[in-house]
């Protein structure tokens, strides 16, 4: 236990001997956010602080996440997953700190832990690897009966902990594939997941697994009951703990928090709808229109808005070209490989700045651009923006060091911005904004989509709607309620 986690020592640094401490507020002094508009106080998706520790030198989460309040929920979660080393499902409402806790946990990990995610972009954001890539699964329905021994069995044999982010988007067949691969390669067919600790992070009331083909939908309905991860056969013999983070950090207004809870839990009433729909405005009516970010359900709608606004600006357009090397799937690009910009364009910063001039999610205005330079204004201050590099990593087992390491197999270098008059609701998941304009267009089409969009905003005063939200926009899959029966502590 001491080799894998240094949590006891970490919490001792702030006067919280972990196994003995009674729940109380941390003595850490919060680090204030940058003083500019739309800078998340604690963005859920920074992508930088979630990397694995330097080989042989576990990093202190206190050093990585100065300013985190180690509340009772966090301590309870760390007691289970770090001290007792149990598998668990960490969940909670939007803005409750799931990603912060994931980073705190993974930052203390030694060379026996991997961080995985269901999509390339999600994996890049947490400094990990996709599930399919790590296990070398094909990009189709996983048949556990067809899984064969790994070409790198030592990697799986030495594994002690798997952290999976965005678990709400992981399908049941994929989780069963993980279970079989671990059992097979670790020679432990009777132990769930081959004896590996698995820690899931996510919120089933947010975006679900994607199953588009009618034949696949029929398969999951008949074979699993639904595509959700908790229907996997691998979880049937387990009763892993369910840990729900209850304190919401993104919103502080209890009225707005209550509204969001009712939308999340499908307990929407006429009073909530009236109050919510009082926020309907034409975008042309908004004061400070340039400070609002439009959230929309589809990529095409977001693209059309961004290009229309870009083309409406005077002056020449410049194309900033990314440099891509090695293996880096296009679907995992954090921004466009050919980024079209003009002076006056609205952009979002998509990487935390080392000099703390902005954070992931900060909105900015392009004040100067050429093919080789970019300058933006954040608040009242202008900054030169240099290209940044994202790494696509791959885990491997280092026989000499006797530990799991990671190597860079591809890079994507581009200025860390994207056009930001509009983005999709999907891409907004995990982000926090001061002013949001929600345009549902023809309507939401997925479970949790409206909740994700509305909950991105820090306050009701900063939220505006393009049209009234109707009960049909609040799509709720009854199946998600079944997850509580699978985990210990569920209702």
């Amino acid at each position: 236990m001491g080799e894998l986690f240094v949590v006891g020592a970490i919490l001792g640094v702030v006067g919280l001997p972990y196994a003995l401490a009674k729940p109380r507020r941390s003595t850490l002094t919060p680090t204030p956010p940058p003083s500019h508009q739309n800078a998340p106080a604690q963005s859920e998706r920074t992508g930088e602080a979630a990397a694995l520790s330097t080989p042989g030198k576990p990093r202190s989460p206190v050093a990585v996440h100065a300013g985190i309040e180690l509340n009772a929920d966090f301590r309870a979660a760390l007691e289970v997953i770090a001290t007792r080393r149990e598998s668990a499902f960490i969940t909670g409402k939007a803005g409750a700190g799931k990603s912060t806790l994931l980073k705190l946990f993974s930052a203390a990990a030694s060379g026996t832990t991997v961080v995985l995610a269901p999509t390339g972009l999600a994996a890049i954001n947490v400094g990990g690897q996709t599930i399919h890539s790590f296990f070398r699964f094909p990009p189709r329905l996983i048949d556990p009966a067809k899984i064969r021994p790994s070409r790198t069995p030592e990697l799986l044999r030495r594994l002690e902990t798997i952290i999976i982010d965005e678990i709400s988007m992981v399908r049941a067949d994929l989780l069963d594939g993980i279970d079989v691969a671990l059992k097979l390669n670790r020679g432990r067919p009777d132990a769930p997941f081959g004896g590996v600790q698995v820690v899931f992070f996510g919120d089933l009331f947010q975006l679900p697994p994607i199953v588009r083909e009618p034949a696949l939908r029929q398969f999951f309905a008949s074979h699993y009951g639904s595509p959700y991860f908790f229907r996997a056969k691998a979880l049937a013999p387990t009763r892993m703990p369910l840990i729900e983070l209850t304190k919401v950090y993104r919103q502080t207004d209890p009225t707005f928090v209550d509204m969001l809870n009712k939308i999340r839990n499908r307990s929407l009433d006429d009073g909530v709808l009236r109050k919510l729909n009082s926020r309907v405005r034409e975008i042309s009516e908004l004061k400070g229109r340039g400070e609002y970010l439009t959230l929309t359900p589809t990529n095409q709608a977001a693209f059309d808005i961004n290009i229309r606004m870009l083309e409406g600006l005077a002056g020449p357009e410049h194309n900033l070209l990314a440099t891509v090397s090695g293996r880096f799937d296009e679907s995992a690009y954090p921004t466009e490989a050919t980024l079209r910009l003009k002076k006056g364009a609205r952009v979002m910063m998509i990487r935390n700045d080392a000099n703390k001039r902005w954070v992931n999610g900060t909105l900015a205005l392009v004040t100067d651009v050429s093919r080789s330079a970019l300058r933006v204004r954040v608040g009242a201050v202008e900054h030169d923006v240099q290209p940044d590099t994202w790494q696509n990593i791959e885990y491997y087992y280092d026989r000499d060091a006797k530990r799991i390491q990671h190597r860079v197999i591809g890079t994507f270098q581009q200025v860390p911005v994207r056009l930001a008059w509009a983005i999709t609701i999907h891409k907004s998941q995990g982000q926090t904004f001061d002013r949001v304009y929600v345009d549902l267009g023809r309507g939401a089409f997925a479970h949790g989509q409206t909740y994700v969009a509305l909950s991105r905003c820090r306050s009701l005063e900063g939220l505006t709607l393009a049209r009234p939200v109707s009960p049909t926009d609040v799509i709720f899959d009854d199946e998600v309620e079944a997850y509580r029966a699978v985990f210990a502590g569920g209702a």
Side-chain angles (χ1 to χ4, degrees):
M1 180 168 66
E3 180 184 355
L4 182 58
F5 294 112
V6 293
V7 171
I10 291 163
L11 299 182
V13 170
V14 293
L16 289 171
Y18 191 73
L20 302 176
K22 294 182 179 179
R24 63 179 176 86
R25 191 176 182 87
S26 168
T27 55
L28 289 172
T29 302
T31 301
S35 56
H36 47 70
Q37 290 289 331
N38 293 295
Q42 180 66 59
S43 174
E44 282 197 305
R45 290 285 183 273
T46 62
E48 295 180 71
L52 285 180
S53 58
T54 303
K57 296 181 179 179
R59 296 163 61 195
S60 164
V62 170
V64 177
H65 299 288
I68 289 177
E69 177 191 351
L70 295 170
N71 65 25
D73 286 345
F74 276 33
R75 285 196 297 273
L78 289 170
E79 170 67 27
V80 171
I81 62 179
T83 303
R84 302 206 309 252
R85 297 274 309 281
E86 295 180 26
S87 295
F89 174 28
I90 313 295
T91 188
K93 303 178 182 71
K98 295 181 295 295
S99 293
T100 299
L101 180 60
L102 183 153
K103 293 162 190 173
L104 184 69
F105 179 48
S106 65
S110 71
T112 55
T113 299
V114 297
V115 182
L116 305 178
T119 68
L121 186 56
I124 296 298
N125 283 341
V126 292
Q129 190 173 352
T130 65
I131 297 169
H132 282 82
S133 173
F134 180 78
F135 286 99
R136 291 186 165 85
F137 289 154
R140 56 179 180 270
L141 183 71
I142 304 299
D143 183 352
K146 294 182 179 179
I147 291 176
R148 297 293 177 262
S150 172
R151 288 175 287 172
T152 55
E154 276 189 301
L155 174 63
L156 300 184
R157 284 200 293 266
R158 293 286 180 169
L159 196 58
E160 292 186 8
T161 301
I162 293 176
I163 301 169
I164 301 181
D165 194 23
E166 300 285 14
I167 192 64
S168 70
M169 299 176 68
V170 174
R171 296 188 328 200
D173 63 313
L174 189 53
L175 200 62
D176 277 343
I178 293 171
D179 178 58
V180 171
L182 291 172
K183 288 176 175 176
L184 179 65
N185 288 282
R186 292 169 61 83
R188 299 189 61 185
D190 298 325
F193 298 97
V196 172
Q197 178 192 26
V198 290
V199 182
F200 307 129
F201 284 84
D203 179 13
L204 283 159
F205 293 83
Q206 297 189 43
L207 298 176
I210 297 173
V211 183
R212 293 191 177 93
E213 300 85 349
L216 267 184
R217 290 178 191 162
Q218 185 176 359
F219 167 81
F220 280 108
S222 60
H223 189 71
Y224 285 108
S226 81
Y228 289 100
F229 85 99
F230 59 84
R231 289 299 192 189
K233 312 297 184 185
L235 293 179
T238 70
R239 283 287 287 172
M240 67 172 64
L242 168 66
I243 301 170
E244 187 157 8
L245 307 182
T246 57
K247 179 170 182 178
V248 174
Y249 290 91
R250 182 177 296 143
Q251 294 90 16
T252 57
D253 176 8
T255 300
F256 189 36
V257 170
D258 181 63
M259 288 176 63
L260 293 174
N261 286 343
K262 288 182 175 179
I263 293 166
R264 180 179 189 263
N265 299 326
R266 198 178 53 174
S267 53
L268 198 62
D269 55 45
D270 290 342
V272 170
L273 266 182
R274 281 196 301 271
K275 192 168 184 63
L276 182 61
N277 289 332
S278 70
R279 305 302 303 168
V280 174
R281 302 284 189 282
E282 291 288 339
I283 196 166
S284 59
E285 300 174 10
L286 299 179
K287 288 185 178 180
R289 174 183 174 183
E291 297 173 357
Y292 282 81
L293 175 68
T294 297
L295 302 184
T296 188
T298 67
N299 282 306
Q300 190 61 51
F303 177 82
D304 290 346
I305 291 169
N306 283 328
I307 294 305
R308 183 172 69 249
M309 297 297 290
L310 184 71
E311 291 178 346
L313 295 175
E317 179 179 304
H318 297 277
N319 293 338
L320 278 62
L321 305 181
T323 301
V324 185
S325 65
R327 288 156 46 194
F328 208 112
D329 193 88
E330 188 173 348
S331 64
Y333 288 176
T335 187
E336 287 78 16
T338 301
L339 190 58
R340 299 170 59 182
L341 292 177
K342 286 183 180 181
K343 184 177 179 179
R346 270 281 308 282
V347 294
M348 179 194 296
M349 313 309 294
I350 58 171
R351 205 79 186 267
N352 285 356
D353 178 53
N355 297 317
K356 300 183 179 179
R357 296 173 297 174
W358 57 77
V359 296
N360 182 16
T362 297
L363 298 180
L365 186 74
V366 174
T367 57
D368 193 22
V369 60
S370 68
R371 286 192 297 177
S372 58
L374 174 65
R375 191 168 177 82
V376 302
R377 186 170 71 237
V378 177
V381 183
E382 292 193 14
H383 306 282
D384 291 319
V385 182
Q386 303 301 323
D388 209 337
T389 302
W390 287 260
Q391 297 180 336
N392 184 22
I393 72 161
E394 178 181 74
Y395 292 104
Y396 70 99
Y397 179 68
D398 186 330
R399 290 183 176 84
D400 294 332
K402 292 184 171 58
R403 60 186 289 121
I404 294 172
Q405 311 272 36
H406 67 265
R407 57 187 161 222
V408 177
I409 60 171
T411 61
F412 178 93
Q413 186 180 66
Q414 177 64 288
V415 288
V417 306
R418 68 161 58 104
L419 287 175
W421 285 284
I423 63 172
T424 63
I425 295 168
H426 189 294
K427 284 189 174 69
S428 76
Q429 184 159 307
Q431 298 280 12
T432 302
F433 304 107
D434 286 338
R435 293 177 176 84
V436 172
Y437 189 74
V438 177
D439 186 353
L440 294 175
R442 295 180 181 177
F445 55 81
H447 161 82
Q449 202 170 40
T450 298
Y451 170 66
V452 170
L454 299 175
S455 62
R456 297 311 93 195
C457 197
R458 193 173 272 121
S459 68
L460 183 60
E461 291 69 29
L463 175 67
T464 308
L465 307 176
R467 66 162 176 80
V469 172
S470 72
T472 58
D473 291 318
V474 184
I475 301 171
F476 187 90
D477 188 342
D478 290 320
E479 172 65 12
V480 301
E481 290 288 8
Y483 81 93
R484 294 186 181 276
V486 178
F487 300 95

